Amino acid sequence: MSAYNIVSVAGSDPSGGAGIQADLKSFSAHGTFGMSVITALTAQSTRGVTGVHGIPPEFITHQLDTLLTDASVHAVKIGMLATAEVTEAVAEAIDRYELPNVVVDPVMVAKSGDRLLAQSATEALRTVLMPRADLITPNLPEAADLLDEKEAISLSEMRDQATRLLELGARRVLLKGGHLDGEQSTDVLVSRDSAPEEFTATRVRTHNTHGTGCTLASSIAALLPQRSNTAEAVRDAKAYLTEALRRAADIDAGGGQGPVHHFHAWW
């Protein structure tokens, strides 16, 4: 068969390190054909976000319908949605086209600290989108926001929060532990149909972490159709991201938090 088709539903990042641009690079790095539906335009660099221009929900639906009535899609990565109305439009498309392998990266705040999801949209993310997700990939601040709790400060608290996130409806939760301290970074995967698993890697000390969440989620989405189970896709995606962080210094894309090296295996 031809390459798997993976679609990203997310915002655009002109600096190329996050959002749609990072997703398309990740899809390509894993041997899949990337497609995209843009939910928002941002004015953004490695130093931060200076503006966000949301795409009307009706036009996002138009993009989705035009694409999905033509092309077969083998997995979906969902990132920045910005508003409740956009979240609902995307959820309706998931149902209408019975989209498989839906990976939701609940983008709420950029690495620079700029908020990318309206507070009013958090409830729609919880109640409308998460129950339609095969996997959600929050970091610790995002998990705390979704649960309306304090941020986890230990691996034990991470395990507890991952389980509570599962109760909100997603089939699987990968809670990322990058915000914890220590020489190791551990992510916790919990599922409705298998035992919990943990994935640990040596922490890479680098300032170039722009787009790490987008890159991991899109890598998992690209790998899900190519692996026998979610744990294998997560393990391989995490290994890919770890090397992309190690090689991040090879990229000079600005003076702030730079991007990871999506094509470290090629150049």
Side-chain angles (χ1 to χ4, degrees):
M1 64 170 288
S2 60
Y4 290 104
N5 297 328
I6 318 296
V7 63
S8 170
V9 182
S12 172
D13 172 13
S15 75
I20 288 284
Q21 288 82 348
D23 295 345
L24 293 175
K25 291 172 186 176
S26 300
F27 297 160
S28 294
H30 294 293
T32 61
F33 184 76
M35 302 172 172
S36 63
V37 168
I38 297 178
T39 60
L41 305 177
T42 69
Q44 186 173 173
S45 71
T46 63
R47 298 183 186 275
V49 180
T50 61
V52 175
H53 179 72
I55 306 298
E58 299 79 12
F59 194 73
I60 293 170
T61 295
H62 188 41
Q63 291 182 74
L64 286 161
D65 287 343
T66 302
L67 172 64
L68 298 173
T69 54
D70 177 50
S72 296
V73 169
H74 302 97
V76 182
K77 183 266 182 175
I78 298 173
M80 178 185 178
L81 297 179
T83 68
E85 293 77 14
V86 170
T87 303
E88 290 163 2
V90 172
E92 289 169 4
I94 292 171
D95 290 347
R96 188 159 59 251
Y97 296 100
E98 298 180 345
L99 296 177
N101 296 318
V102 176
V103 178
V104 175
D105 184 29
V107 177
M108 295 177 172
V109 180
K111 280 287 189 300
S112 58
D114 300 285
R115 190 163 186 91
L116 300 175
L117 181 72
Q119 292 282 3
S120 60
T122 303
E123 185 63 19
L125 181 58
R126 287 192 197 103
T127 61
V128 176
L129 194 57
M130 286 179 60
R132 291 169 168 81
D134 293 289
L135 176 71
I136 65 168
T137 62
N139 59 29
L140 298 186
E142 290 161 349
D145 208 344
L146 287 168
L147 292 168
D148 196 21
E149 297 179 1
K150 292 183 178 179
E151 188 174 324
I153 59 173
S154 68
L155 186 55
S156 175
E157 290 184 5
M158 277 183 63
R159 296 181 184 119
D160 290 341
Q161 287 198 344
T163 300
R164 286 195 290 281
L165 284 168
L166 197 65
E167 294 168 357
L168 294 179
R171 293 179 184 86
R172 299 170 190 84
V173 175
L174 180 70
L175 182 52
K176 301 174 295 188
H179 285 76
L180 293 183
D181 294 327
E183 292 303 312
Q184 303 292 316
S185 176
T186 298
D187 301 337
V188 177
L189 176 67
V190 294
S191 171
R192 295 182 177 279
D193 52 17
S194 59
E197 296 192 52
E198 295 177 5
F199 305 87
T200 299
T202 300
R203 190 179 299 275
V204 179
R205 300 295 179 182
T206 176
H207 190 61
N208 297 332
T209 57
H210 183 55
T212 51
C214 302
T215 298
L216 181 65
S218 55
S219 295
I220 294 170
L223 288 168
L224 280 173
Q226 305 183 71
R227 299 293 185 267
S228 61
N229 56 57
T230 302
E232 286 186 11
V234 169
R235 184 176 297 108
D236 290 349
K238 188 172 176 72
Y240 163 79
L241 176 59
T242 298
E243 189 60 26
L245 283 162
R246 287 197 186 105
R247 293 283 303 279
D250 294 353
I251 305 294
D252 182 7
Q257 288 186 308
V260 303
H261 193 336
H262 294 91
F263 297 121
H264 57 266
W266 291 271
W267 50 274

